[in-house]
């Protein structure tokens, strides 16, 4: 079948792996949200956001409902959210967000990844200062005019609005409009988008790097290998870095 087939197969496997990881990550978000604020999305904004994000990655409805039901059970354990900071080699700052039912296991794994990747696990505040926390909303671009949207949303805290695209799990390119807000304006913007009944694909609080480090060749590969180790860990919810 040749190299072209193997290339397509490799890309498909990566998309499936990413989808599986997304389901695990959002399943934990749902559990945490339900434990915090109950199983009714109408009165629990964090659960509403998690369900919205589940829809954005095509997580089956029955899996979402099962996660809510499981989280409502007293038998379901709690997840602890822990943020780890450190540095990859070549001066790249890394922040790792986790949700774990076993912090001892998680910190041991995070430390191992840093050590084996020639990086170093730091203390709280050692690298987080190189990022700014922002609300990032991804909207389906169809039927939207970016300039008009900016005028509508600027009073609700829109800092930046731009177009973006990515491949879905089937390899089709999907186009989005991304709205960024200050961390403190996340809830206000979420409410405004809901009231305007816009098609929100995802709503997240992200860490945006203030400066980036440009690497090439073996140095780039070394840092990317470390980042991938974190992303493959089931306890890891998100990885942020200053690699440009």
């Amino acid at each position: 079948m040749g190299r072209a087939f193997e290339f397509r197969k490799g890309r498909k496997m990566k998309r499936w792996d990413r989808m599986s990881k997304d389901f695990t990550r959002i399943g934990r978000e749902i559990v945490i949200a339900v434990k915090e604020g109950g199983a009714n999305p109408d009165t629990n904004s964090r659960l509403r956001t998690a369900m919205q994000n589940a829809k954005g990655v095509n997580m089956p409805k029955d899996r979402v409902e099962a996660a809510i039901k499981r989280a409502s059970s007293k038998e379901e354990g709690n997840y602890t959210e822990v943020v780890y900071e450190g540095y990859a080699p070549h001066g790249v700052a890394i922040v790792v967000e986790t949700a774990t039912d076993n912090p001892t296991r998680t910190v041991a794994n995070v430390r191992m990844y840093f050590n084996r990747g020639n990086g170093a696990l730091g203390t709280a505040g050692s690298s987080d200062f190189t990022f700014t926390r922002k609300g990032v909303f991804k909207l389906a671009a169809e039927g939207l005019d970016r300039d008009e949207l900016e005028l509508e949303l600027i009073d609700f805290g829109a800092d930046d609005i731009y177009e973006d695209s990515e491949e879905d799990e089937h390899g089709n390119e999907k186009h989005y409009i991304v709205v960024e807000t200050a961390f403190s304006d996340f809830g206000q913007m979420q409410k405004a988008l809901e009231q305007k009944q816009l098609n929100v694909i995802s709503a997240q609080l992200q860490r945006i790097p203030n400066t980036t480090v440009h690497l090439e060749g073996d140095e780039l590969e070394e840092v990317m290998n470390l980042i991938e180790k974190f992303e493959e860990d089931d306890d890891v919810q998100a990885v942020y870095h200053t690699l440009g």
Side-chain angles (χ1 to χ4, degrees):
M1 295 184 185
R3 295 178 63 184
F5 170 79
E6 291 300 325
F7 176 73
R8 289 195 299 271
K9 180 180 177 182
R11 290 180 65 188
K12 183 178 289 187
M13 292 301 294
K14 283 186 177 181
R15 285 197 298 270
W16 286 344
D17 288 343
R18 184 181 64 186
M19 185 167 60
S20 176
K21 174 66 176 174
D22 284 341
F23 290 177
T24 300
R25 172 178 58 83
I26 292 174
R28 293 192 176 193
E29 287 181 9
I30 290 172
V31 170
I32 292 169
V34 172
K35 292 289 186 182
E36 279 187 359
N40 184 355
D42 293 333
T43 56
N44 185 341
S45 61
R46 182 167 184 175
L47 175 58
R48 198 158 62 246
T49 299
M51 293 174 68
Q52 190 176 64
N53 291 340
K55 185 178 179 181
V57 298
N58 296 320
M59 186 173 176
K61 186 178 180 180
D62 60 342
R63 289 194 61 164
V64 173
E65 292 173 348
I68 294 173
K69 184 177 180 180
R70 189 173 68 249
S72 302
S73 169
K74 293 182 179 179
E75 296 177 2
E76 176 69 17
N78 291 319
Y79 287 108
T80 302
E81 295 178 280
V82 187
V83 176
Y84 299 98
E85 304 173 40
Y87 281 86
H90 316 298
V92 176
I94 291 183
V95 173
V96 183
E97 295 179 351
T98 70
T100 177
D101 57 357
N102 187 336
T104 302
R105 175 194 66 218
T106 305
V107 69
N109 286 342
V110 168
R111 183 178 289 110
M112 177 183 66
Y113 300 144
F114 272 118
N115 291 342
R116 291 183 179 179
N118 297 319
L121 174 63
T123 56
S126 61
S127 62
D128 194 34
F129 71 92
T130 61
F131 300 85
T132 298
R133 293 198 78 187
K134 289 188 175 184
V136 181
F137 298 85
K138 190 181 295 182
L139 315 180
E142 186 177 357
L144 294 181
D145 181 279
R146 189 181 69 177
D147 293 333
E148 290 182 5
L149 190 65
E150 187 169 6
L151 291 173
E152 287 184 38
L153 298 179
I154 193 168
D155 289 338
F156 299 98
D159 282 343
D160 194 13
I161 297 180
Y162 55 91
E163 297 177 10
D164 198 8
S165 64
E166 64 181 17
E167 285 188 355
D168 63 15
E169 70 274 14
H170 303 295
N172 301 316
E173 191 171 37
K174 300 182 73 172
H175 297 275
Y176 305 104
I177 291 180
V178 180
V179 180
E180 291 187 359
T181 73
F183 174 81
S184 57
D185 290 328
F186 180 84
Q188 178 178 249
M189 179 59 71
Q190 183 182 30
K191 187 176 181 179
L193 295 174
E194 288 177 356
Q195 290 176 342
K196 293 177 182 298
Q197 297 184 333
L198 296 174
N199 185 7
V200 180
I201 303 301
S202 66
Q204 297 176 328
L205 287 167
Q206 297 185 3
R207 285 175 162 85
I208 309 298
N210 300 321
T211 60
T212 58
V213 178
H214 178 73
L215 300 176
E216 295 181 351
D218 291 342
E219 291 182 346
L220 174 61
E221 183 176 357
E222 185 177 19
V223 175
M224 287 303 301
N225 285 340
L226 174 56
I227 292 170
E228 287 177 3
K229 286 295 183 185
F230 288 122
E231 291 178 337
E232 290 168 359
D233 192 296
D234 283 343
D235 291 340
V236 172
Q237 295 292 89
V239 183
Y240 300 103
H241 55 80
T242 57
L243 186 64

Coordinates of all heavy atoms in Angstrom, one line a residue, residues 1-13:
M1 N 0.8 -1.2 0.0 CA 0.0 0.0 0.0 C 0.8 1.3 0.0 O 0.3 2.4 -0.3 CB -0.9 0.0 1.2 CG -2.0 -1.1 1.2 SD -3.1 -1.0 2.6 CE -4.1 -2.5 2.3
G2 N 2.1 1.1 0.4 CA 3.0 2.2 0.2 C 3.1 3.2 1.4 O 2.3 3.1 2.4
R3 N 4.0 4.2 1.2 CA 4.2 5.1 2.3 C 3.1 6.1 2.5 O 2.8 6.5 3.6 CB 5.5 5.9 2.0 CG 6.8 5.1 2.0 CD 8.0 5.9 1.6 NE 8.2 6.9 2.6 CZ 9.2 7.9 2.5 NH1 9.9 7.9 1.4 NH2 9.4 8.8 3.4
A4 N 2.3 6.4 1.4 CA 1.2 7.3 1.6 C 0.1 6.7 2.5 O -0.4 7.4 3.4 CB 0.6 7.6 0.2
F5 N -0.1 5.4 2.4 CA -1.1 4.7 3.2 C -0.6 4.8 4.7 O -1.4 5.0 5.6 CB -1.3 3.3 2.8 CG -2.1 2.5 3.7 CD1 -3.5 2.5 3.8 CD2 -1.4 1.6 4.6 CE1 -4.2 1.8 4.6 CE2 -2.2 0.8 5.5 CZ -3.6 0.9 5.5
E6 N 0.7 4.5 4.9 CA 1.2 4.5 6.2 C 1.1 5.8 6.9 O 0.9 6.0 8.1 CB 2.7 4.0 6.2 CG 2.8 2.5 5.9 CD 2.1 1.6 6.9 OE1 2.1 1.9 8.1 OE2 1.6 0.5 6.5
F7 N 1.3 6.9 6.1 CA 1.3 8.2 6.6 C -0.2 8.6 7.0 O -0.4 9.1 8.1 CB 1.7 9.2 5.5 CG 1.6 10.7 5.9 CD1 2.4 11.2 6.8 CD2 0.6 11.5 5.3 CE1 2.3 12.6 7.2 CE2 0.4 12.8 5.7 CZ 1.3 13.3 6.6
R8 N -1.1 8.2 6.1 CA -2.5 8.5 6.5 C -3.0 7.7 7.7 O -3.7 8.1 8.6 CB -3.4 8.1 5.3 CG -3.3 9.1 4.1 CD -4.5 8.9 3.2 NE -4.5 7.6 2.6 CZ -3.9 7.2 1.5 NH1 -3.2 8.1 0.8 NH2 -4.0 6.0 1.0
K9 N -2.5 6.4 7.8 CA -2.8 5.6 8.9 C -2.2 6.2 10.2 O -2.9 6.2 11.2 CB -2.2 4.1 8.7 CG -2.5 3.2 9.8 CD -1.9 1.8 9.6 CE -2.1 0.9 10.7 NZ -1.5 -0.5 10.5
G10 N -1.0 6.7 10.1 CA -0.4 7.3 11.3 C -1.1 8.5 11.8 O -1.3 8.7 13.0
R11 N -1.6 9.3 10.8 CA -2.3 10.5 11.2 C -3.6 10.1 11.8 O -4.1 10.8 12.8 CB -2.6 11.4 10.0 CG -1.3 12.1 9.4 CD -1.6 12.9 8.2 NE -2.5 14.0 8.6 CZ -3.1 14.8 7.6 NH1 -2.8 14.6 6.4 NH2 -3.9 15.8 8.0
K12 N -4.3 9.1 11.3 CA -5.6 8.7 11.8 C -5.4 8.1 13.3 O -6.2 8.4 14.1 CB -6.2 7.6 10.9 CG -7.6 7.1 11.4 CD -8.2 6.1 10.5 CE -8.6 6.7 9.1 NZ -9.3 5.8 8.3
M13 N -4.3 7.4 13.5 CA -4.1 6.8 14.8 C -3.9 8.0 15.8 O -4.3 7.9 17.0 CB -2.9 5.9 14.8 CG -3.2 4.6 14.0 SD -4.6 3.6 14.7 CE -3.9 3.2 16.3

